[in-house]
Amino acid sequence: MTNVRPHPHPRPHPNRTADRGWAGSLALCALLLVAAGVAAWFVPNAASGEQAWRRATPCTAQTPAAGRDDCLTTVPAVIASTDVNQPRQPSWLYFTDSRPLHRLEVSAEAAQDFQAGDHVELTVWRGQVMKVAGAGESWHEHITTARSLAVVAALLALAAGYPAAKVLGCLRARRLPDDEVLPSALPFAGALAGTALWLLPLCFLHPTDLLSSPTQITWAAAGSLLTLALLTGAWRATRIRTPEGAAAEGRPEEGGAGGTAEQPDRGEVFVSARFLEPTDFNPHGFGTHIALGDGAPAVTPGPGRFAAKRIPVERLTVRNVRRARGSDGDTVPRSWHVAELDDAGAPIRLAAAPADLTRIIRALGSTRA
């Protein structure tokens, strides 16, 4: 039977990779949350300004000077020249005699539409030019709406959730050996994406009164339950379970990415697995599967017996089973486990999904017995 003789290991020191990732992710999370808070802070002001602009009416002769900021003043002007730049750079309209102002920043499209000598009317509100209208062209100043700010704030808060998930993953992995591959935070990204599906429409439609009606309260409550379920699933998907922990529970871990479900050892199956070192039975590291069941275990380049190479189980001794590490290479999924073997004195590694690796080791042992 294949011997399992774990080497004594020194106490695992804290994962330095996790420690380094923790600080950067925490800083990014804090920055995004601050930005989200600032955007949310300006939502009421944006809503107030947006409503005031929509309600503004033209000033009249009876409008007092103190009240002309809140009404619309129309000023004639003549365009002296235009300066058209790239879309990401400001473009300008220049006015004859610098009246009523020297120049005005506009979009590149507006600068192209207007020509020198055009007679235009400028609409001024609260001391700012809000509109330029000519014979057939016009330009409007962009108004920051409460809806857009609320959506931006929600997006920033959701974006902060991903580095927060990475911080959580680093904290859960601090006792792992250095260079151990950490679980991906992508399941939390999926939970955040699911949250966006209900949160962003709510923020867009009700930027200043999210919970002002029973319908909105029900919407938010149902969405929160969905988010809780998604986060619970993400927490379970990213849990860190060592091979020793799985053995202590009396059952192997589920296969995970690329794994196969536990099946009776009847018939022939081809399990996705890789020997990480080239050997005489795995030349040039060609093997991607291991054939189990009918006949001797063999390394194959795919799910079939073509070019199969018999595994010399009589030479192999299992020294240790561990989680995948960065030093195992990019071809090993982070959810896999690695068996450290002794091949007649030469150390080799065998990687597979946890349940598959357990099954392979059991099959090798039963074949040798």
PDB file of all heavy atoms in Angstrom, residues 158-192:
ATOM      1  N   LEU A 158     -20.225  50.192  -3.795  1.00  0.00           N
ATOM      2  CA  LEU A 158     -20.139  48.798  -4.230  1.00  0.00           C
ATOM      3  C   LEU A 158     -18.707  48.438  -4.627  1.00  0.00           C
ATOM      4  O   LEU A 158     -18.234  47.339  -4.331  1.00  0.00           O
ATOM      5  CB  LEU A 158     -21.089  48.565  -5.409  1.00  0.00           C
ATOM      6  CG  LEU A 158     -22.585  48.585  -5.081  1.00  0.00           C
ATOM      7  CD1 LEU A 158     -23.405  48.533  -6.363  1.00  0.00           C
ATOM      8  CD2 LEU A 158     -22.964  47.431  -4.175  1.00  0.00           C
ATOM      9  N   ALA A 159     -18.033  49.381  -5.300  1.00  0.00           N
ATOM     10  CA  ALA A 159     -16.648  49.130  -5.682  1.00  0.00           C
ATOM     11  C   ALA A 159     -15.766  48.936  -4.459  1.00  0.00           C
ATOM     12  O   ALA A 159     -14.806  48.150  -4.478  1.00  0.00           O
ATOM     13  CB  ALA A 159     -16.118  50.279  -6.538  1.00  0.00           C
ATOM     14  N   ALA A 160     -16.072  49.643  -3.365  1.00  0.00           N
ATOM     15  CA  ALA A 160     -15.295  49.481  -2.135  1.00  0.00           C
ATOM     16  C   ALA A 160     -15.474  48.092  -1.543  1.00  0.00           C
ATOM     17  O   ALA A 160     -14.629  47.620  -0.771  1.00  0.00           O
ATOM     18  CB  ALA A 160     -15.710  50.535  -1.112  1.00  0.00           C
ATOM     19  N   GLY A 161     -16.564  47.425  -1.907  1.00  0.00           N
ATOM     20  CA  GLY A 161     -16.799  46.094  -1.369  1.00  0.00           C
ATOM     21  C   GLY A 161     -15.791  45.065  -1.842  1.00  0.00           C
ATOM     22  O   GLY A 161     -15.490  44.110  -1.115  1.00  0.00           O
ATOM     23  N   TYR A 162     -15.238  45.248  -3.050  1.00  0.00           N
ATOM     24  CA  TYR A 162     -14.290  44.250  -3.557  1.00  0.00           C
ATOM     25  C   TYR A 162     -12.967  44.282  -2.790  1.00  0.00           C
ATOM     26  O   TYR A 162     -12.510  43.229  -2.319  1.00  0.00           O
ATOM     27  CB  TYR A 162     -14.067  44.443  -5.052  1.00  0.00           C
ATOM     28  CG  TYR A 162     -13.232  43.346  -5.664  1.00  0.00           C
ATOM     29  CD1 TYR A 162     -13.748  42.064  -5.824  1.00  0.00           C
ATOM     30  CD2 TYR A 162     -11.924  43.572  -6.061  1.00  0.00           C
ATOM     31  CE1 TYR A 162     -12.991  41.037  -6.371  1.00  0.00           C
ATOM     32  CE2 TYR A 162     -11.152  42.549  -6.613  1.00  0.00           C
ATOM     33  CZ  TYR A 162     -11.695  41.294  -6.766  1.00  0.00           C
ATOM     34  OH  TYR A 162     -10.929  40.283  -7.301  1.00  0.00           O
ATOM     35  N   PRO A 163     -12.308  45.458  -2.630  1.00  0.00           N
ATOM     36  CA  PRO A 163     -11.103  45.440  -1.784  1.00  0.00           C
ATOM     37  C   PRO A 163     -11.411  45.058  -0.347  1.00  0.00           C
ATOM     38  O   PRO A 163     -10.567  44.476   0.337  1.00  0.00           O
ATOM     39  CB  PRO A 163     -10.558  46.873  -1.906  1.00  0.00           C
ATOM     40  CG  PRO A 163     -11.677  47.692  -2.426  1.00  0.00           C
ATOM     41  CD  PRO A 163     -12.516  46.776  -3.258  1.00  0.00           C
ATOM     42  N   ALA A 164     -12.627  45.369   0.119  1.00  0.00           N
ATOM     43  CA  ALA A 164     -12.996  44.932   1.468  1.00  0.00           C
ATOM     44  C   ALA A 164     -13.021  43.401   1.541  1.00  0.00           C
ATOM     45  O   ALA A 164     -12.587  42.798   2.533  1.00  0.00           O
ATOM     46  CB  ALA A 164     -14.354  45.507   1.856  1.00  0.00           C
ATOM     47  N   ALA A 165     -13.525  42.772   0.478  1.00  0.00           N
ATOM     48  CA  ALA A 165     -13.530  41.309   0.442  1.00  0.00           C
ATOM     49  C   ALA A 165     -12.106  40.757   0.412  1.00  0.00           C
ATOM     50  O   ALA A 165     -11.819  39.724   1.022  1.00  0.00           O
ATOM     51  CB  ALA A 165     -14.307  40.825  -0.785  1.00  0.00           C
ATOM     52  N   LYS A 166     -11.208  41.451  -0.291  1.00  0.00           N
ATOM     53  CA  LYS A 166      -9.815  41.000  -0.319  1.00  0.00           C
ATOM     54  C   LYS A 166      -9.161  41.156   1.054  1.00  0.00           C
ATOM     55  O   LYS A 166      -8.365  40.314   1.469  1.00  0.00           O
ATOM     56  CB  LYS A 166      -9.051  41.796  -1.376  1.00  0.00           C
ATOM     57  CG  LYS A 166      -9.571  41.589  -2.788  1.00  0.00           C
ATOM     58  CD  LYS A 166      -8.697  42.238  -3.833  1.00  0.00           C
ATOM     59  CE  LYS A 166      -7.424  41.456  -4.021  1.00  0.00           C
ATOM     60  NZ  LYS A 166      -6.631  41.941  -5.155  1.00  0.00           N
ATOM     61  N   VAL A 167      -9.508  42.230   1.764  1.00  0.00           N
ATOM     62  CA  VAL A 167      -9.002  42.393   3.133  1.00  0.00           C
ATOM     63  C   VAL A 167      -9.489  41.237   4.005  1.00  0.00           C
ATOM     64  O   VAL A 167      -8.732  40.644   4.775  1.00  0.00           O
ATOM     65  CB  VAL A 167      -9.468  43.742   3.722  1.00  0.00           C
ATOM     66  CG1 VAL A 167      -9.161  43.806   5.214  1.00  0.00           C
ATOM     67  CG2 VAL A 167      -8.772  44.896   3.006  1.00  0.00           C
ATOM     68  N   LEU A 168     -10.773  40.908   3.866  1.00  0.00           N
ATOM     69  CA  LEU A 168     -11.327  39.801   4.637  1.00  0.00           C
ATOM     70  C   LEU A 168     -10.614  38.499   4.309  1.00  0.00           C
ATOM     71  O   LEU A 168     -10.278  37.708   5.206  1.00  0.00           O
ATOM     72  CB  LEU A 168     -12.822  39.669   4.340  1.00  0.00           C
ATOM     73  CG  LEU A 168     -13.577  38.548   5.057  1.00  0.00           C
ATOM     74  CD1 LEU A 168     -13.524  38.759   6.564  1.00  0.00           C
ATOM     75  CD2 LEU A 168     -15.015  38.487   4.574  1.00  0.00           C
ATOM     76  N   GLY A 169     -10.350  38.272   3.002  1.00  0.00           N
ATOM     77  CA  GLY A 169      -9.638  37.057   2.613  1.00  0.00           C
ATOM     78  C   GLY A 169      -8.230  37.008   3.187  1.00  0.00           C
ATOM     79  O   GLY A 169      -7.759  35.950   3.616  1.00  0.00           O
ATOM     80  N   CYS A 170      -7.557  38.163   3.206  1.00  0.00           N
ATOM     81  CA  CYS A 170      -6.208  38.216   3.779  1.00  0.00           C
ATOM     82  C   CYS A 170      -6.227  37.925   5.273  1.00  0.00           C
ATOM     83  O   CYS A 170      -5.351  37.226   5.793  1.00  0.00           O
ATOM     84  CB  CYS A 170      -5.582  39.585   3.512  1.00  0.00           C
ATOM     85  SG  CYS A 170      -5.169  39.905   1.780  1.00  0.00           S
ATOM     86  N   LEU A 171      -7.226  38.454   5.976  1.00  0.00           N
ATOM     87  CA  LEU A 171      -7.317  38.205   7.411  1.00  0.00           C
ATOM     88  C   LEU A 171      -7.585  36.725   7.691  1.00  0.00           C
ATOM     89  O   LEU A 171      -7.046  36.147   8.649  1.00  0.00           O
ATOM     90  CB  LEU A 171      -8.422  39.067   8.018  1.00  0.00           C
ATOM     91  CG  LEU A 171      -8.160  40.573   8.034  1.00  0.00           C
ATOM     92  CD1 LEU A 171      -9.365  41.319   8.589  1.00  0.00           C
ATOM     93  CD2 LEU A 171      -6.921  40.895   8.861  1.00  0.00           C
ATOM     94  N   ARG A 172      -8.399  36.098   6.845  1.00  0.00           N
ATOM     95  CA  ARG A 172      -8.695  34.672   7.034  1.00  0.00           C
ATOM     96  C   ARG A 172      -7.485  33.799   6.699  1.00  0.00           C
ATOM     97  O   ARG A 172      -7.415  32.653   7.117  1.00  0.00           O
ATOM     98  CB  ARG A 172      -9.885  34.267   6.150  1.00  0.00           C
ATOM     99  CG  ARG A 172     -11.179  34.950   6.525  1.00  0.00           C
ATOM    100  CD  ARG A 172     -12.231  34.755   5.461  1.00  0.00           C
ATOM    101  NE  ARG A 172     -12.794  33.414   5.468  1.00  0.00           N
ATOM    102  CZ  ARG A 172     -13.696  32.985   4.585  1.00  0.00           C
ATOM    103  NH1 ARG A 172     -14.118  33.802   3.620  1.00  0.00           N
ATOM    104  NH2 ARG A 172     -14.173  31.756   4.649  1.00  0.00           N
ATOM    105  N   ALA A 173      -6.544  34.347   5.918  1.00  0.00           N
ATOM    106  CA  ALA A 173      -5.407  33.553   5.448  1.00  0.00           C
ATOM    107  C   ALA A 173      -4.114  33.858   6.196  1.00  0.00           C
ATOM    108  O   ALA A 173      -3.061  33.365   5.794  1.00  0.00           O
ATOM    109  CB  ALA A 173      -5.204  33.794   3.955  1.00  0.00           C
ATOM    110  N   ARG A 174      -4.167  34.630   7.243  1.00  0.00           N
ATOM    111  CA  ARG A 174      -2.927  35.064   7.899  1.00  0.00           C
ATOM    112  C   ARG A 174      -2.149  33.909   8.512  1.00  0.00           C
ATOM    113  O   ARG A 174      -0.936  33.984   8.655  1.00  0.00           O
ATOM    114  CB  ARG A 174      -3.236  36.102   8.980  1.00  0.00           C
ATOM    115  CG  ARG A 174      -3.723  37.427   8.416  1.00  0.00           C
ATOM    116  CD  ARG A 174      -3.625  38.521   9.440  1.00  0.00           C
ATOM    117  NE  ARG A 174      -2.239  38.851   9.741  1.00  0.00           N
ATOM    118  CZ  ARG A 174      -1.858  39.699  10.689  1.00  0.00           C
ATOM    119  NH1 ARG A 174      -2.758  40.295  11.436  1.00  0.00           N
ATOM    120  NH2 ARG A 174      -0.582  39.950  10.892  1.00  0.00           N
ATOM    121  N   ARG A 175      -2.820  32.821   8.874  1.00  0.00           N
ATOM    122  CA  ARG A 175      -2.118  31.690   9.496  1.00  0.00           C
ATOM    123  C   ARG A 175      -1.647  30.656   8.483  1.00  0.00           C
ATOM    124  O   ARG A 175      -1.070  29.651   8.851  1.00  0.00           O
ATOM    125  CB  ARG A 175      -3.032  31.023  10.529  1.00  0.00           C
ATOM    126  CG  ARG A 175      -3.329  31.922  11.719  1.00  0.00           C
ATOM    127  CD  ARG A 175      -4.068  31.164  12.795  1.00  0.00           C
ATOM    128  NE  ARG A 175      -4.297  31.993  13.971  1.00  0.00           N
ATOM    129  CZ  ARG A 175      -4.878  31.580  15.079  1.00  0.00           C
ATOM    130  NH1 ARG A 175      -5.293  30.322  15.171  1.00  0.00           N
ATOM    131  NH2 ARG A 175      -5.060  32.389  16.101  1.00  0.00           N
ATOM    132  N   LEU A 176      -1.911  30.915   7.200  1.00  0.00           N
ATOM    133  CA  LEU A 176      -1.434  29.995   6.177  1.00  0.00           C
ATOM    134  C   LEU A 176       0.051  30.206   5.938  1.00  0.00           C
ATOM    135  O   LEU A 176       0.574  31.295   6.163  1.00  0.00           O
ATOM    136  CB  LEU A 176      -2.200  30.208   4.867  1.00  0.00           C
ATOM    137  CG  LEU A 176      -3.694  29.872   4.887  1.00  0.00           C
ATOM    138  CD1 LEU A 176      -4.301  30.191   3.526  1.00  0.00           C
ATOM    139  CD2 LEU A 176      -3.918  28.418   5.235  1.00  0.00           C
ATOM    140  N   PRO A 177       0.745  29.192   5.440  1.00  0.00           N
ATOM    141  CA  PRO A 177       2.158  29.371   5.103  1.00  0.00           C
ATOM    142  C   PRO A 177       2.326  30.429   4.022  1.00  0.00           C
ATOM    143  O   PRO A 177       1.435  30.647   3.196  1.00  0.00           O
ATOM    144  CB  PRO A 177       2.583  27.988   4.592  1.00  0.00           C
ATOM    145  CG  PRO A 177       1.586  27.045   5.159  1.00  0.00           C
ATOM    146  CD  PRO A 177       0.308  27.808   5.253  1.00  0.00           C
ATOM    147  N   ASP A 178       3.481  31.092   4.032  1.00  0.00           N
ATOM    148  CA  ASP A 178       3.774  32.098   3.020  1.00  0.00           C
ATOM    149  C   ASP A 178       3.777  31.460   1.636  1.00  0.00           C
ATOM    150  O   ASP A 178       4.128  30.302   1.470  1.00  0.00           O
ATOM    151  CB  ASP A 178       5.136  32.749   3.299  1.00  0.00           C
ATOM    152  CG  ASP A 178       5.328  34.014   2.484  1.00  0.00           C
ATOM    153  OD1 ASP A 178       4.325  34.661   2.153  1.00  0.00           O
ATOM    154  OD2 ASP A 178       6.488  34.317   2.170  1.00  0.00           O
ATOM    155  N   ASP A 179       3.359  32.203   0.649  1.00  0.00           N
ATOM    156  CA  ASP A 179       3.286  31.776  -0.749  1.00  0.00           C
ATOM    157  C   ASP A 179       2.111  30.847  -1.015  1.00  0.00           C
ATOM    158  O   ASP A 179       1.975  30.310  -2.100  1.00  0.00           O
ATOM    159  CB  ASP A 179       4.591  31.098  -1.198  1.00  0.00           C
ATOM    160  CG  ASP A 179       4.694  31.008  -2.709  1.00  0.00           C
ATOM    161  OD1 ASP A 179       4.228  31.941  -3.381  1.00  0.00           O
ATOM    162  OD2 ASP A 179       5.212  30.000  -3.207  1.00  0.00           O
ATOM    163  N   GLU A 180       1.256  30.621  -0.021  1.00  0.00           N
ATOM    164  CA  GLU A 180       0.068  29.806  -0.260  1.00  0.00           C
ATOM    165  C   GLU A 180      -0.924  30.599  -1.100  1.00  0.00           C
ATOM    166  O   GLU A 180      -1.135  31.790  -0.892  1.00  0.00           O
ATOM    167  CB  GLU A 180      -0.580  29.397   1.060  1.00  0.00           C
ATOM    168  CG  GLU A 180      -1.740  28.447   0.880  1.00  0.00           C
ATOM    169  CD  GLU A 180      -1.530  27.153   1.650  1.00  0.00           C
ATOM    170  OE1 GLU A 180      -0.398  26.896   2.066  1.00  0.00           O
ATOM    171  OE2 GLU A 180      -2.488  26.412   1.823  1.00  0.00           O
ATOM    172  N   VAL A 181      -1.524  29.944  -2.067  1.00  0.00           N
ATOM    173  CA  VAL A 181      -2.470  30.610  -2.952  1.00  0.00           C
ATOM    174  C   VAL A 181      -3.752  30.900  -2.185  1.00  0.00           C
ATOM    175  O   VAL A 181      -4.360  29.997  -1.601  1.00  0.00           O
ATOM    176  CB  VAL A 181      -2.774  29.731  -4.176  1.00  0.00           C
ATOM    177  CG1 VAL A 181      -3.788  30.414  -5.083  1.00  0.00           C
ATOM    178  CG2 VAL A 181      -1.488  29.456  -4.946  1.00  0.00           C
ATOM    179  N   LEU A 182      -4.180  32.164  -2.188  1.00  0.00           N
ATOM    180  CA  LEU A 182      -5.370  32.554  -1.451  1.00  0.00           C
ATOM    181  C   LEU A 182      -6.609  32.359  -2.311  1.00  0.00           C
ATOM    182  O   LEU A 182      -6.554  32.467  -3.532  1.00  0.00           O
ATOM    183  CB  LEU A 182      -5.266  34.027  -1.031  1.00  0.00           C
ATOM    184  CG  LEU A 182      -4.027  34.426  -0.230  1.00  0.00           C
ATOM    185  CD1 LEU A 182      -4.129  35.889   0.174  1.00  0.00           C
ATOM    186  CD2 LEU A 182      -3.868  33.544   0.991  1.00  0.00           C
ATOM    187  N   PRO A 183      -7.750  32.072  -1.697  1.00  0.00           N
ATOM    188  CA  PRO A 183      -8.989  31.956  -2.473  1.00  0.00           C
ATOM    189  C   PRO A 183      -9.298  33.272  -3.192  1.00  0.00           C
ATOM    190  O   PRO A 183      -9.022  34.356  -2.696  1.00  0.00           O
ATOM    191  CB  PRO A 183     -10.042  31.644  -1.403  1.00  0.00           C
ATOM    192  CG  PRO A 183      -9.276  31.079  -0.254  1.00  0.00           C
ATOM    193  CD  PRO A 183      -7.943  31.772  -0.278  1.00  0.00           C
ATOM    194  N   SER A 184      -9.884  33.161  -4.363  1.00  0.00           N
ATOM    195  CA  SER A 184     -10.232  34.338  -5.145  1.00  0.00           C
ATOM    196  C   SER A 184     -11.383  35.080  -4.484  1.00  0.00           C
ATOM    197  O   SER A 184     -12.279  34.482  -3.879  1.00  0.00           O
ATOM    198  CB  SER A 184     -10.614  33.922  -6.560  1.00  0.00           C
ATOM    199  OG  SER A 184     -11.142  35.024  -7.280  1.00  0.00           O
ATOM    200  N   ALA A 185     -11.365  36.412  -4.631  1.00  0.00           N
ATOM    201  CA  ALA A 185     -12.457  37.235  -4.117  1.00  0.00           C
ATOM    202  C   ALA A 185     -13.565  37.408  -5.141  1.00  0.00           C
ATOM    203  O   ALA A 185     -14.519  38.151  -4.895  1.00  0.00           O
ATOM    204  CB  ALA A 185     -11.923  38.611  -3.694  1.00  0.00           C
ATOM    205  N   LEU A 186     -13.477  36.727  -6.275  1.00  0.00           N
ATOM    206  CA  LEU A 186     -14.477  36.891  -7.331  1.00  0.00           C
ATOM    207  C   LEU A 186     -15.898  36.519  -6.888  1.00  0.00           C
ATOM    208  O   LEU A 186     -16.858  37.141  -7.360  1.00  0.00           O
ATOM    209  CB  LEU A 186     -14.076  36.078  -8.560  1.00  0.00           C
ATOM    210  CG  LEU A 186     -12.904  36.648  -9.368  1.00  0.00           C
ATOM    211  CD1 LEU A 186     -12.601  35.745 -10.557  1.00  0.00           C
ATOM    212  CD2 LEU A 186     -13.217  38.062  -9.849  1.00  0.00           C
ATOM    213  N   PRO A 187     -16.094  35.505  -6.016  1.00  0.00           N
ATOM    214  CA  PRO A 187     -17.470  35.268  -5.551  1.00  0.00           C
ATOM    215  C   PRO A 187     -18.092  36.494  -4.893  1.00  0.00           C
ATOM    216  O   PRO A 187     -19.292  36.732  -5.035  1.00  0.00           O
ATOM    217  CB  PRO A 187     -17.304  34.112  -4.559  1.00  0.00           C
ATOM    218  CG  PRO A 187     -16.108  33.366  -5.069  1.00  0.00           C
ATOM    219  CD  PRO A 187     -15.174  34.431  -5.566  1.00  0.00           C
ATOM    220  N   PHE A 188     -17.294  37.288  -4.191  1.00  0.00           N
ATOM    221  CA  PHE A 188     -17.827  38.520  -3.610  1.00  0.00           C
ATOM    222  C   PHE A 188     -18.126  39.548  -4.698  1.00  0.00           C
ATOM    223  O   PHE A 188     -19.066  40.341  -4.564  1.00  0.00           O
ATOM    224  CB  PHE A 188     -16.842  39.088  -2.595  1.00  0.00           C
ATOM    225  CG  PHE A 188     -16.806  38.337  -1.301  1.00  0.00           C
ATOM    226  CD1 PHE A 188     -15.807  37.421  -1.031  1.00  0.00           C
ATOM    227  CD2 PHE A 188     -17.794  38.529  -0.350  1.00  0.00           C
ATOM    228  CE1 PHE A 188     -15.773  36.715   0.159  1.00  0.00           C
ATOM    229  CE2 PHE A 188     -17.780  37.835   0.855  1.00  0.00           C
ATOM    230  CZ  PHE A 188     -16.767  36.921   1.102  1.00  0.00           C
ATOM    231  N   ALA A 189     -17.324  39.553  -5.767  1.00  0.00           N
ATOM    232  CA  ALA A 189     -17.630  40.443  -6.886  1.00  0.00           C
ATOM    233  C   ALA A 189     -18.981  40.092  -7.489  1.00  0.00           C
ATOM    234  O   ALA A 189     -19.756  40.976  -7.876  1.00  0.00           O
ATOM    235  CB  ALA A 189     -16.526  40.355  -7.945  1.00  0.00           C
ATOM    236  N   GLY A 190     -19.276  38.794  -7.578  1.00  0.00           N
ATOM    237  CA  GLY A 190     -20.597  38.383  -8.056  1.00  0.00           C
ATOM    238  C   GLY A 190     -21.712  38.855  -7.135  1.00  0.00           C
ATOM    239  O   GLY A 190     -22.775  39.297  -7.601  1.00  0.00           O
ATOM    240  N   ALA A 191     -21.472  38.791  -5.826  1.00  0.00           N
ATOM    241  CA  ALA A 191     -22.477  39.277  -4.876  1.00  0.00           C
ATOM    242  C   ALA A 191     -22.685  40.774  -5.016  1.00  0.00           C
ATOM    243  O   ALA A 191     -23.820  41.272  -4.933  1.00  0.00           O
ATOM    244  CB  ALA A 191     -22.050  38.928  -3.447  1.00  0.00           C
ATOM    245  N   LEU A 192     -21.609  41.516  -5.239  1.00  0.00           N
ATOM    246  CA  LEU A 192     -21.726  42.965  -5.426  1.00  0.00           C
ATOM    247  C   LEU A 192     -22.456  43.289  -6.721  1.00  0.00           C
ATOM    248  O   LEU A 192     -23.251  44.238  -6.777  1.00  0.00           O
ATOM    249  CB  LEU A 192     -20.329  43.590  -5.423  1.00  0.00           C
ATOM    250  CG  LEU A 192     -19.566  43.493  -4.098  1.00  0.00           C
ATOM    251  CD1 LEU A 192     -18.130  43.944  -4.284  1.00  0.00           C
ATOM    252  CD2 LEU A 192     -20.249  44.332  -3.018  1.00  0.00           C
TER     253      LEU A 192
END
